[in-house]
Amino acid sequence: GTIVNNYGIDIGTFPGSEVVATAPGLVYEIGYSDLTNHYIKITHKYGWKTIYSNLERPQVKKNQIVSKGDLLGYSTKGHSAPIYHLHYEVHVGTSPLNPFSFLNQIQN
């Protein structure tokens, strides 16, 4: 009976799949909630931010600088989700954007 806004996309994964950073940046927050399991927030140039949630065993620490492709953690399933998946968000400032629009643009 509760409405929850989903500001990102959910990408189906195999149990324990590696989750990597999509761009270089600084880990500014790592946390845990019953809804999202572990989550990692990274800030990038020009006010961009990415958020990765539904993780287990985070492999980075707060204030760590990461490069594109660095291991962040492993996928799991949420307490209320029946499938394994990564929840991924992209924000500019405080505005969430549709991450799907950027998936084709991610290159080396």
Side-chain angles (χ1 to χ4, degrees):
T2 302
I3 295 175
V4 177
N5 289 326
N6 185 340
Y7 294 115
I9 57 173
D10 296 328
I11 302 168
T13 64
F14 290 106
S17 295
E18 291 185 347
V19 176
V20 299
T22 55
L26 174 73
V27 176
Y28 73 93
E29 186 177 338
I30 296 178
Y32 179 89
S33 79
D34 287 336
L35 183 62
T36 65
N37 287 315
H38 291 281
Y39 61 86
I40 296 171
K41 297 181 180 183
I42 301 175
T43 185
H44 309 277
K45 288 183 180 180
Y46 313 114
W48 290 77
K49 295 176 183 163
T50 52
I51 300 171
Y52 308 78
S53 57
N54 236 20
L55 302 175
E56 61 182 2
R57 298 178 304 186
Q59 301 295 301
V60 294
K61 305 233 184 272
K62 185 176 179 181
N63 296 321
Q64 180 177 334
I65 295 173
V66 295
S67 298
K68 179 181 176 184
D70 282 356
L71 179 64
L72 301 176
Y74 301 90
S75 66
T76 189
K77 57 183 180 175
H79 298 288
S80 61
I83 61 168
Y84 286 82
H85 70 280
L86 166 69
H87 178 76
Y88 179 66
E89 296 182 28
V90 176
H91 295 245
V92 175
T94 58
S95 300
L97 302 174
N98 182 353
F100 189 76
S101 304
F102 300 100
L103 293 180
N104 291 348
Q105 305 301 319
I106 298 173
Q107 300 173 7
N108 289 333

